[in-house]
Amino acid sequence: MNNYLKQGLQELNLLDDSSIQISNLIWVKDKNNYINKKDKNNPYIYIALEKAEKYNVQGVYFRFFQDLRPPIPQIYIFDYTTGNLDEQSLDKNKLANLHKKLWNSLHVPLFYVFTKTEILIYNSYNQPNTKNSDIEYNLFKKIKIASEIEKDIELRNDFSAKNFDNGSFWEDEKYRQDFNVNQNAYEKLISKLKEIRQKLLKSENIFNDKTIKPNERKTIIHKLLVMAILIKYLEEKKDNNGYTVFPKRDEVRSPIGHGKPEKYKKDFFEKYSPKQNSFVGVLENNGNIIQLFRDLSKHFNGEIFKLTEKEEKQIKKINLDKFAEFFEAKTEKGGQGSFWKLYSFNDLPVELVSNIYEEFIENKKEDGIVYTPPFLVNFLLEEVMPLNNNNTNFKILDPSNGSGIFLVQAYKRLIYRWRRKNNWEPPKLEDLKNLLINNIYGVDLKEDAVRLTAFSLTLALCDELSPIEIWDNLQFDKLKEKNLFESDFFELIAKEKLPTDFDLIIGNPPFIKDLSSSAQLIEKQRIENKLPKLPPSYSLSFLFLEHAKQLIKKSGNICFLFPADAFLHKRDSLMFTHYFFKENNVSLIVDFTPLRRVLFKSASVGTIAIFYNKRLEKRKYVPHIIIRRTKSARNESFFEIDKYDFHKVDPNEVLQYPFVWKINLFNMTERSRELIFTLNKFPKLSEYLRKKNKEKILFTKKRNGPRLIIKKNIFNHLLSTSLVTNNKQIDEIFKKEVFIIYSNKNDINELHSINNEIFKKKKLYKYFILNTSERAGISRSSSTILTSDILNIPYIKKIELTDIQKVILEDSIKYMDDFFRLGENSIIHKIPTQNQLNQFAKYYLKILNSVYKTYKAAEPIQTSGNIIFPFYWGKKPKVETKSNKDLEIHLNQLLQKDFPQANLRFIRVINLYDKNVIYLIKPKQLRYWLRSVAIRDADETFAYLVNQEYNV
């Protein structure tokens, strides 16, 4: 490493001051060091370095997670210090092409280019610039090395590696808007293709035959676009020697349909249009596109390029030159520029290429289909199919496979497992086929879905082969009715047509209630066997949940995405879920409800992932992990999970307290559960109304006379009420959803009393309803509530809350509700003020000193991404006078006493104990420094001190 690169790396804390490499920075040249080591992270590191090597990356900076999730690459490091003084001396075309490739690859959000005097920072979410049809790189930030200018100092602090170690960079308000998933290559491609499709459908000049029906036009245009994408992928796939899938002039390659290799006298595409050497060229010149599709279908022995006779006739009636105009995006201003020039299908992840098809499927909502983003699929698979396991005899089923995203990602993991077991050698075609045929199974009702899954798996296989192998050796196996079934899943179960030894069943079954005829027969048998009836909402989904376990081996596992409200919150599901917990070993529930408006693009639905198996182990508690809405989650990068997001639920407790899952959503402390349970024991408004109804004073059935109207809404922290004494006032109010209490004509005192109680306890009732309602906070209209929620409020004249309970209540309705609704835009992501830190210290000490009496707070210390808050007893420590660097060294020494390999830089939340000092170290965001969080921290500290037998 030369001194120029060393200095640049040190300025961004990628090296420490003594030039020792930070463990998160791994050089690509050291890739082979990760082949045989037993560390569980090694396969992930090796794969990331291998991908980086394709782009001549020198180093990869990783984010390592405190909760032992696999590391993910954050920054690519390019060393251009040799011969390059600054940006002006760089090869602009080379840099533009690099930016284009990395924008398409979606591998890392940032890449740093080091020259002798500058650090050039590029945002891989932003597409390269285009000018006069040329591609130009899009520089994000530039830092002058060794500069003392304030701007450069600020940028060095902002882009320091330390801010990526704990994820704080992605939550920084300054840059939050610069990294937008909607700007990445895949999202832009989908958006453009949809735009093209709409223009094609509206164009008067595309179809010569006006008798072709609108729905048929839509289908054929859709099919042409998708097949065009696949051909573009194959056309652009190139090896290091420049060979492509489609043969070029003078190459000796397999003929169409296979056979003895022969020398090609023309470029492949010239056969379909003279003097053309590209697919789009064939389109532009009205080439023989039908024959092209026939030849490709024959050559690859698959149905991917197969057209029906009717479809062939329809395509013959399309003006392909007009189609090509749209495909080339020459409708831009001045007719300049090509949409395709921005894209590199050789770099775009293969699973995203296949998902393009799914994006065009219509009626997804009616069919209960939602697009499952790949980063979510990988997150779930990591739990049940980690790469640090070498088992390749591992059978997987997706019983409602859709586009095949779960199966494709599982297949890729099997390939990685095979490679790891074989010293990371590339598998041969026969190995790839065996892994696919012996392990991957899918079911779907729709022919399109089965065909798409076959297409997706084929692309995944192609991605492992060289271009020459694809053309000369590959013939697609017919997976239909062997591995992929176009059928009703429950019909296959009834007819025993599926294996019963699956290691893993995983997927996203349709979120619908209507049962198929086969499912109805199974449900009839269930009722005859006196099993709990399926819940009315999402009945079909529940049936998937129950019957999948028939097909797994004893050691097998199941993971399903499922509607959160149906399984966790709806009261009409209680008996079934209670039965389900008794009959299955539920190992984990991951709750994505806070991401309900961002996780699935085609549906706003709260979702959970249920992990379970049929090993009836004794498990008192089910882990319930809440995935909060952060910027990194919205951008489909990773989920930020902290200890405050981990909860435990006793399934036996759910029957008595069905809202226990809901409490975890809106609180961060166990004491909130105790508070809600206590409030729930008080007499209810419903009981009071029944009593007064017997006394003929109050009524809930419609009648004339005075009435109290309560809106079914908890917006702005309160139940809204109106006391109406004459009928003229009623009409306007009745336009809203309301609950009404009536009284006798001459007696409105009771109505006044209820109205006053609701007003006095408005925050308490908001808190109680938010935490107990099966609807409030989690439905599409998050403030809407049910009649039962109003009737369920605790109704006694005097409810005394302690100071601690008031804090828990206020934080929940002020901050957690806001966080739940607004996610990364919530106030809870802001840097805490000094007053808020003082309040944190006040309640932390209040709990701790209820026993120990002598603890005090020192001054909090703020680093670039963290706050370090010391608390002490006895002699005040001198931590305030230490430099941040000295303090970091000291705290690392404390940490490494218990965790020798740990480093403070990579840990988000931790408590360190040093003689008479407790250090609380957490990110610089308000959500970690709320008063209610102080209460939880203090409870945990107290438990630790008792366990260690501290005497203060």
Side-chain angles (χ1 to χ4, degrees):
M1 183 190 307
N2 64 50
N3 289 330
Y4 296 111
L5 179 61
K6 186 183 296 183
Q7 183 178 4
L9 292 171
Q10 284 175 336
E11 290 207 358
L12 295 183
N13 293 299
L14 293 158
L15 295 179
D16 68 16
D17 291 341
S18 56
S19 299
I20 296 174
Q21 182 178 322
I22 302 300
S23 61
N24 290 32
L25 175 60
I26 301 177
W27 300 111
V28 174
K29 64 181 177 60
D30 296 329
K31 178 185 68 173
N32 291 340
N33 293 346
Y34 296 87
I35 289 180
N36 295 315
K37 288 182 180 178
K38 292 184 178 179
D39 188 293
K40 70 177 188 61
N41 284 330
N42 284 344
Y44 305 95
I45 293 171
Y46 184 91
I47 292 164
L49 295 178
E50 187 177 61
K51 288 179 178 178
E53 190 173 37
K54 177 180 174 182
Y55 302 100
N56 297 313
V57 175
Q58 277 69 54
V60 179
Y61 198 81
F62 288 86
R63 164 85 187 277
F64 286 84
F65 291 93
Q66 189 176 352
D67 56 14
L68 305 181
R69 278 178 287 156
I72 60 169
Q74 296 278 274
I75 305 165
Y76 278 171
I77 305 296
F78 290 91
D79 177 14
Y80 285 7
T81 56
T82 304
N84 294 295
L85 183 66
D86 54 21
E87 181 190 0
Q88 296 306 312
S89 57
L90 292 170
D91 183 331
K92 304 295 190 297
N93 291 331
K94 180 180 176 181
L95 206 49
N97 190 50
L98 176 65
H99 191 176
K100 168 186 168 180
K101 285 176 169 292
L102 293 180
W103 179 62
N104 277 272
S105 76
L106 279 67
H107 287 170
V108 288
L110 285 162
F111 63 99
Y112 293 176
V113 173
F114 290 83
T115 67
K116 288 181 179 179
T117 62
E118 295 173 340
I119 304 169
L120 309 176
I121 297 175
Y122 296 86
N123 178 353
S124 299
Y125 277 84
N126 289 342
Q127 73 178 47
N129 295 324
T130 54
K131 185 178 180 181
N132 296 326
S133 80
D134 292 326
I135 304 296
E136 296 182 345
Y137 64 80
N138 186 354
L139 183 63
F140 184 47
K141 300 292 178 184
K142 183 194 294 187
I143 303 172
K144 293 280 187 182
I145 294 175
S147 168
E148 292 302 318
I149 298 172
E150 185 178 344
K151 178 186 174 184
D152 290 311
I153 294 171
E154 183 180 347
L155 286 172
R156 281 201 292 272
N157 289 331
D158 290 346
F159 289 90
S160 163
K162 291 183 178 182
N163 296 329
F164 296 93
D165 293 335
N166 65 6
S168 60
F169 176 85
W170 306 113
E171 305 302 330
D172 189 333
E173 288 184 82
K174 194 186 301 183
Y175 298 107
R176 195 183 296 162
Q177 302 306 317
D178 292 311
F179 296 86
N180 187 336
V181 68
N182 293 322
Q183 299 300 313
N184 73 30
Y186 174 68
E187 296 297 336
K188 287 275 193 176
L189 176 60
I190 289 296
S191 175
K192 195 67 180 180
L193 286 174
K194 286 181 176 178
E195 178 188 327
I196 290 170
R197 185 179 70 162
Q198 286 304 112
K199 287 180 178 178
L200 287 168
L201 288 171
K202 291 177 181 178
S203 174
E204 298 293 327
N205 302 318
I206 295 294
F207 287 91
N208 295 321
D209 186 349
K210 304 302 180 186
T211 64
I212 299 176
K213 298 175 182 177
N215 63 321
E216 291 177 331
R217 292 185 178 201
K218 190 177 292 184
T219 300
I220 201 65
I221 285 174
H222 177 189
K223 193 160 188 175
L224 275 174
L225 283 171
V226 172
M227 290 169 80
I229 292 292
L230 176 55
I231 293 175
K232 288 291 290 183
Y233 166 78
L234 294 173
E235 186 179 13
E236 290 191 16
K237 191 170 177 67
K238 185 183 293 185
D239 65 17
N240 293 333
N241 297 315
Y243 285 106
T244 57
V245 173
F246 299 117
K248 301 288 187 184
R249 184 191 301 268
D250 296 329
E251 289 180 1
V252 178
R253 305 280 295 276
S254 172
I256 293 171
H258 295 281
K260 185 179 178 181
E262 60 184 39
K263 187 175 183 178
Y264 275 71
K265 296 178 181 178
K266 299 178 179 179
D267 284 344
F268 174 78
F269 288 107
E270 282 190 75
K271 176 181 177 182
Y272 310 100
S273 184
K275 298 182 181 179
Q276 296 304 318
N277 61 2
S278 72
F279 170 64
V280 174
V282 174
L283 288 176
E284 285 181 319
N285 291 276
N286 281 309
N288 193 344
I289 199 74
I290 302 293
Q291 190 60 47
L292 172 61
F293 290 147
R294 285 176 183 168
D295 286 348
L296 291 176
S297 182
K298 174 185 175 183
H299 185 76
F300 289 118
N301 189 35
E303 297 186 350
I304 294 170
F305 294 106
K306 191 174 181 180
L307 295 169
T308 64
E309 186 177 339
K310 183 178 180 180
E311 287 170 338
E312 286 190 356
K313 288 179 180 178
Q314 289 173 338
I315 289 175
K316 285 177 182 177
K317 295 172 182 177
I318 293 177
N319 289 323
L320 290 177
D321 56 338
K322 295 293 182 184
F323 186 88
E325 277 185 23
F326 287 114
F327 226 59
E328 279 283 80
K330 288 182 179 177
T331 52
E332 295 173 10
K333 187 177 179 180
Q336 299 297 315
S338 170
F339 156 59
W340 289 116
K341 285 190 178 180
L342 280 171
Y343 286 90
S344 170
F345 288 88
N346 202 29
D347 297 292
L348 199 67
V350 67
E351 61 270 24
L352 296 183
V353 175
S354 65
N355 281 349
I356 289 167
Y357 189 101
E358 187 177 31
E359 290 279 2
F360 286 148
I361 294 175
E362 297 187 344
N363 302 318
K364 287 188 283 191
K365 193 171 181 181
E366 291 82 349
D367 295 332
I369 299 169
V370 293
Y371 166 75
T372 314
F375 91 115
L376 173 58
V377 173
N378 266 323
F379 176 82
L380 301 178
L381 279 169
E382 186 54 43
E383 185 68 27
V384 286
M385 196 181 175
L387 293 182
N388 50 25
N389 184 320
N390 283 352
N391 183 12
T392 53
N393 183 23
F394 192 88
K395 200 175 287 185
I396 303 125
L397 168 71
D398 183 344
S400 56
N401 54 237
S403 70
I405 182 67
F406 280 98
L407 294 179
V408 168
Q409 297 287 40
Y411 179 46
K412 288 176 71 174
R413 283 175 175 261
L414 282 175
I415 294 169
Y416 285 137
R417 283 183 172 189
W418 186 97
R419 292 188 61 205
R420 184 171 183 250
K421 193 162 61 172
N422 291 275
N423 285 322
W424 292 101
E425 289 295 320
K428 295 178 181 177
L429 177 57
E430 200 60 33
D431 299 316
L432 292 167
K433 285 188 172 184
N434 286 337
L435 286 172
L436 177 57
I437 292 166
N438 295 335
N439 294 290
I440 302 296
Y441 292 81
V443 180
D444 206 285
L445 270 172
K446 294 183 177 295
E447 180 187 3
D448 270 359
V450 174
R451 184 190 293 183
L452 172 58
T453 299
F455 161 56
S456 302
L457 290 166
T458 300
L459 275 184
L461 188 151
C462 287
D463 208 40
E464 300 297 323
L465 298 173
S466 71
I468 290 179
E469 282 180 296
I470 292 173
W471 182 260
D472 290 358
N473 302 323
L474 179 61
Q475 286 191 297
F476 301 145
D477 289 307
K478 292 183 178 177
L479 300 174
K480 195 171 178 182
E481 301 310 321
K482 293 179 182 178
N483 293 73
L484 303 176
F485 300 88
E486 181 194 336
S487 180
D488 182 339
F489 174 61
F490 301 103
E491 182 180 344
L492 293 177
I493 286 181
K495 293 181 178 179
E496 299 182 348
K497 286 193 172 184
L498 289 170
T500 56
D501 61 343
F502 285 104
D503 296 275
L504 174 63
I505 297 178
I506 190 167
N508 189 359
F511 293 2
I512 55 178
K513 66 177 182 178
D514 296 331
L515 300 181
S516 64
S517 55
S518 297
Q520 287 174 16
L521 289 174
I522 290 176
E523 173 63 351
K524 185 179 177 183
Q525 291 172 358
R526 291 182 68 262
I527 300 302
E528 289 172 358
N529 292 332
K530 301 191 179 339
L531 295 176
K533 191 176 180 181
L534 294 173
S537 57
Y538 306 113
S539 298
L540 186 68
S541 312
F542 277 103
L543 206 59
F544 273 95
L545 203 63
E546 184 176 15
H547 281 270
K549 72 175 182 180
Q550 296 179 27
L551 305 178
I552 58 168
K553 57 174 65 169
K554 188 174 181 181
S555 59
N557 290 291
I558 302 170
C559 170
F560 279 141
L561 288 170
F562 205 83
D565 61 341
F567 192 86
L568 299 183
H569 307 302
K570 283 190 177 292
R571 305 299 188 258
D572 56 18
S573 302
L574 266 178
M575 296 311 297
F576 181 91
T577 53
H578 181 67
Y579 153 79
F580 184 82
F581 280 115
K582 283 178 62 178
E583 295 298 316
N584 298 278
N585 176 36
V586 180
S587 58
L588 176 65
I589 291 178
V590 182
D591 198 333
F592 300 100
T593 304
L595 295 169
R596 69 198 187 283
R597 291 194 176 100
V598 300
L599 197 57
F600 299 108
K601 294 168 188 168
S602 59
S604 176
V605 56
T607 307
I608 57 173
I610 308 173
F611 297 85
Y612 65 105
N613 54 61
K614 58 185 180 184
R615 300 184 295 279
L616 292 179
E617 303 165 357
K618 289 187 178 179
R619 186 186 295 275
K620 184 175 181 182
Y621 295 105
V622 174
H624 180 211
I625 299 176
I626 312 294
I627 305 296
R628 303 293 177 185
R629 187 176 133 195
T630 61
K631 185 62 176 179
S632 56
R634 176 178 274 280
N635 278 341
E636 301 182 2
S637 302
F638 53 85
F639 297 120
E640 204 65 82
I641 305 173
D642 297 308
K643 69 175 184 177
Y644 305 111
D645 304 318
F646 286 80
H647 305 270
K648 293 187 297 185
V649 173
D650 180 352
N652 294 315
E653 197 175 54
V654 173
L655 269 181
Q656 184 179 0
Y657 301 110
F659 41 77
V660 65
W661 312 98
K662 191 83 179 295
I663 296 172
N664 295 340
L665 277 176
F666 289 100
N667 298 272
M668 285 188 170
T669 172
E670 293 300 308
R671 293 195 185 212
S672 57
R673 189 178 300 189
E674 298 167 13
L675 174 56
I676 292 293
F677 287 179
T678 300
L679 292 173
N680 193 56
K681 291 175 182 176
F682 289 139
K684 309 291 186 187
L685 177 62
S686 59
E687 297 170 30
Y688 182 78
L689 293 178
R690 277 197 299 271
K691 178 185 173 186
K692 293 300 177 181
N693 181 258
K694 286 181 181 179
E695 297 172 2
K696 302 191 180 303
I697 297 173
L698 295 177
F699 311 89
T700 54
K701 290 185 179 179
K702 187 175 180 181
R703 60 188 291 149
N704 291 326
R707 62 205 67 191
L708 179 66
I709 298 175
I710 307 171
K711 288 185 181 178
K712 296 180 187 177
N713 195 291
I714 51 171
F715 181 72
N716 200 25
H717 309 316
L718 59 112
L719 284 170
S720 177
T721 59
S722 298
L723 189 58
V724 177
T725 55
N726 63 74
N727 291 337
K728 292 181 180 178
Q729 293 177 276
I730 294 172
D731 292 341
E732 183 63 29
I733 296 168
F734 264 103
K735 291 180 181 178
K736 307 289 183 182
E737 280 199 34
V738 294
F739 173 69
I740 305 175
I741 303 171
Y742 302 87
S743 75
N744 286 323
K745 291 182 180 179
N746 301 319
D747 189 354
I748 64 169
N749 290 334
E750 286 290 348
L751 294 182
H752 272 299
S753 178
I754 295 172
N755 194 31
N756 290 338
E757 285 300 312
I758 289 175
F759 181 78
K760 283 191 295 184
K761 297 185 177 73
K762 59 185 178 182
K763 287 189 177 181
L764 176 69
Y765 289 155
K766 159 95 175 187
Y767 173 71
F768 184 78
I769 291 173
L770 193 62
N771 281 274
T772 59
S773 169
E774 62 182 86
R775 182 173 183 178
I778 57 175
S779 64
R780 288 182 183 177
S781 176
S782 60
S783 59
T784 303
I785 62 174
L786 304 169
T787 297
S788 57
D789 297 327
I790 297 170
L791 291 171
N792 193 48
I793 59 175
Y795 191 76
I796 59 173
K797 298 295 182 184
K798 197 170 184 181
I799 299 178
E800 294 285 350
L801 296 184
T802 67
D803 185 35
I804 296 296
Q805 289 174 329
K806 288 176 182 176
V807 164
I808 292 169
L809 181 153
E810 288 168 4
D811 276 4
S812 179
I813 61 176
K814 181 176 181 180
Y815 295 114
M816 295 308 295
D817 180 33
D818 184 71
F819 187 21
F820 193 85
R821 289 184 296 106
L822 303 178
E824 71 280 9
N825 298 316
S826 167
I827 189 175
I828 212 166
H829 280 291
K830 294 186 178 297
I831 297 172
T833 63
Q834 185 60 50
N835 181 55
Q836 287 166 332
L837 291 174
N838 292 342
Q839 287 294 304
F840 177 93
K842 173 184 173 181
Y843 284 93
Y844 182 78
L845 293 172
K846 183 167 187 171
I847 299 294
L848 217 52
N849 286 334
S850 63
V851 174
Y852 290 107
K853 309 296 184 188
T854 57
Y855 271 98
K856 298 177 182 177
E859 285 300 313
I861 301 153
Q862 301 203 24
T863 67
S864 57
N866 284 334
I867 292 174
I868 302 168
F869 211 149
F871 294 85
Y872 68 97
W873 59 270
K875 187 178 179 181
K876 187 174 183 179
K878 297 182 179 180
V879 291
E880 299 98 314
T881 61
K882 290 185 178 182
S883 70
N884 282 358
K885 183 180 174 183
D886 290 339
L887 180 61
E888 186 176 330
I889 292 170
H890 175 65
L891 294 176
N892 261 321
Q893 290 170 347
L894 291 177
L895 176 65
Q896 289 162 6
K897 285 180 182 179
D898 295 321
F899 307 98
Q901 303 303 315
N903 190 307
L904 199 63
R905 281 180 57 167
F906 318 134
I907 292 175
R908 283 175 68 84
V909 179
I910 194 167
N911 297 356
L912 292 176
Y913 299 86
D914 179 27
K915 298 176 183 176
N916 69 322
V917 185
I918 303 168
Y919 294 98
L920 303 188
I921 305 168
K922 298 190 283 186
K924 200 159 54 175
Q925 294 174 18
L926 177 57
R927 71 178 173 123
Y928 297 99
W929 301 100
L930 296 173
R931 296 171 301 168
S932 55
V933 175
I935 294 164
R936 173 169 172 165
D937 287 346
D939 285 341
E940 291 177 357
T941 301
F942 180 76
Y944 175 87
L945 295 177
V946 169
N947 187 54
Q948 298 297 315
E949 298 182 352
Y950 266 62
N951 293 309
V952 179

